[in-house]
Amino acid sequence: MLSALQPRFDLKKAHLLPALMAIALILSGCAPKTTIQTDQLPVQVPEQFSMSGSKQQSPHWWLEFNDKPLDEFISAALSTNFDLLAARERLLQAEAVSRQAGAALSPTLDYSSSATESRTRTDGGESSSTTLRLGLAASYEVDLWGRLNAAQEASIYNMQASSEDVQTAALTVAAQIATSWYQLAESHSQLELLKKQQQVNRTGLQLIVLRFNAGQVGIADVLQQKQLIESQSGEQAQQRATSAVLEHQLAVLGGIPPKSLQLDVQPQLVQLSSIPSTGIPLEVLNSRPDVKSAYLSLLEADRRVAVAIADQYPRLTITGDLSTSGSASQLFDNWLASIAANIVGPILDGGLREAEVDRTTAVARERFYTYGQAILEAIREVEDALIQEKEQDRLIASLQLQLNLANETLLNVRDRYKQGVEDYQRVLTALLSQQNLEQSLLTAQQRRIGFRISLYRALAGHVLNDPMNGLSPIGQTAHASTQQPEKI
């Protein structure tokens, strides 16, 4: 360690300080550069998606369902969901770390004070005196190689990534709520359908009993119809359990205990509008918070490499002290000032700093590949949702056609059964087919809504205002964002 110490401030040697500062400024322009290519995409992004609509998607994508109760539930949950609240606290932690890193670029100034009392006993008696001391100590590290600045930039990128993570969490919560909401709507609809089907089957049982009493059919027909009715009672029990579980899920997502959820309006399946405009893939990637978080994490890792490289070089620290001491009446008569410039650099460290450079470089490469994977996953999610909804439309059309044919078949075999031309087994087969198709159609409609939720989620950007100051959805409370993440 080289040091230039000056116990007392000497004006004759004060000219050395500007020279040291000039050297420091020159060296600071020689900060080492990293080699990670953060300005390039890891993968080739297609120019367009396989399908696209014409209508632009709302930032609050759930509004596209035109379902006011769902909108109200999601808007409330974005302020009360505990996962979101925890994510916001992680963001506040990252913001505090960023401020700590920025503080290292500023000088520090501390004060000290002390009082010492001494007693002296002599033949002439006892005397005492009090000595007071006041002092100021300043310190400043010159950022020769950009180490402190790189550390601050890394912490800012980390904070911005945490902000994107809050947005990702908000999107996830909204998608989970919407999915559970329409699963609950399907469960309620299935329960009502089962009740109607059971009533139809009871009416059919009355007809069969009449024919049995008339000796036209055997007891097996009656027993089979009763079994069918009872099986639907079991299916209703399953649907009630499913509805209760889904209500519990919604309650937890809304930040309230299970069994505490009170829905004023029962969820209903909705008709979907045409698919939204999928836009340009690169624009979608620039808007998706999970992809932006991966990119910002890459930038943070790149800056950590710069910190590790700069840590291999000397540090220049300038310190200064100003103090005075004496009795109360003479306290400000005796001043002592000192200033020092210390240069500290590694000679032998057993390869510690070089290993840290290798470690941080590997972390940066890992983040680069993670960023590439995030891009691929984002594109895949859009394409998956598009093809799933397209084929689901075909499935629903097929199920509707099958149901129409099943209705006609059931009417035909029932008439023939009443005439005694057809046996009951044919009627039962047609009845089961028709009722199963009714249930399958409801499930298919719910799954189509689920695929649309996936598409909206895959195309969505920010849904919150400033996550640093609150979790209200965009448009409800105006906040100015203080940190803007970089574009991909």
Side-chain angles (χ1 to χ4, degrees), residues 238-260:
Q238 289 181 328
Q239 288 299 334
R240 285 192 294 270
T242 299
S243 296
V245 169
L246 290 169
E247 288 176 358
H248 296 167
Q249 290 179 3
L250 286 172
V252 172
L253 289 169
I256 60 178
K259 302 298 292 182
S260 299

Side-chain angles (χ1 to χ4, degrees), residues 48-306:
Q48 60 185 14
F49 292 109
S50 58
M51 288 179 284
S52 180
S54 57
K55 183 180 178 182
Q56 291 297 320
Q57 178 176 307
S58 168
H60 290 173
W61 49 263
W62 55 89
L63 294 178
E64 305 293 342
F65 295 119
N66 196 27
D67 193 338
K68 187 176 180 181
L70 173 64
D71 174 34
E72 293 175 348
F73 192 94
I74 291 179
S75 297
L78 291 179
S79 298
T80 57
N81 179 271
F82 284 105
D83 285 337
L84 267 178
L85 293 172
R88 179 174 177 265
E89 294 305 318
R90 289 193 292 272
L91 172 58
L92 295 177
Q93 295 170 39
E95 189 271 339
V97 171
S98 175
R99 286 189 283 115
Q100 288 176 339
L105 289 166
S106 302
T108 61
L109 179 63
D110 300 311
Y111 73 90
S112 62
S113 63
S114 64
T116 304
E117 184 175 351
S118 60
R119 294 179 180 274
T120 305
R121 185 185 297 276
T122 63
D123 294 340
E126 183 180 281
S127 62
S128 63
S129 62
T130 300
T131 301
L132 303 178
R133 184 182 181 281
L134 298 176
L136 294 175
S139 177
Y140 176 68
E141 180 180 344
V142 181
D143 195 15
L144 293 178
W145 318 104
R147 180 180 62 85
L148 298 178
N149 187 66
Q152 183 191 32
E153 289 178 349
S155 64
I156 290 176
Y157 288 135
N158 179 62
M159 179 188 67
Q160 293 176 340
S162 296
S163 178
E164 297 301 325
D165 290 342
V166 175
Q167 297 286 358
T168 300
L171 280 173
T172 301
V173 168
Q176 289 175 335
I177 289 174
T179 300
S180 297
W181 184 271
Y182 289 116
Q183 286 176 345
L184 180 60
E186 185 217 341
S187 184
H188 286 321
S189 298
Q190 292 282 14
L191 184 59
E192 292 302 317
L193 176 61
L194 285 168
K195 291 178 180 178
K196 291 179 182 179
Q197 290 177 346
Q198 192 176 52
Q199 185 59 43
V200 170
N201 293 337
R202 286 196 176 105
T203 302
L205 177 61
Q206 295 174 358
L207 173 62
I208 296 171
V209 169
L210 289 175
R211 291 175 60 82
F212 170 73
N213 292 335
Q216 298 175 346
V217 298
I219 189 61
D221 292 0
V222 177
L223 295 176
Q224 283 185 311
Q225 188 71 5
K226 287 184 176 181
Q227 179 187 354
L228 176 59
I229 294 171
E230 186 57 34
S231 69
Q232 289 176 325
S233 295
E235 291 178 13
Q236 290 178 40
Q238 289 181 328
Q239 288 299 334
R240 285 192 294 270
T242 299
S243 296
V245 169
L246 290 169
E247 288 176 358
H248 296 167
Q249 290 179 3
L250 286 172
V252 172
L253 289 169
I256 60 178
K259 302 298 292 182
S260 299
L261 181 65
Q262 299 292 333
L263 294 176
D264 297 331
V265 179
Q266 181 175 293
Q268 299 290 334
L269 295 176
V270 294
Q271 294 293 325
L272 297 179
S273 58
S274 59
I275 64 172
S277 171
T278 53
I280 301 173
L282 191 58
E283 292 180 351
V284 173
L285 297 177
N286 274 321
S287 66
R288 280 189 52 141
D290 56 340
V291 177
K292 293 164 75 173
S293 176
Y295 178 62
L296 290 164
S297 295
L298 168 62
L299 296 181
E300 178 202 357
D302 176 68
R303 293 291 82 204
R304 298 296 181 194
V305 175

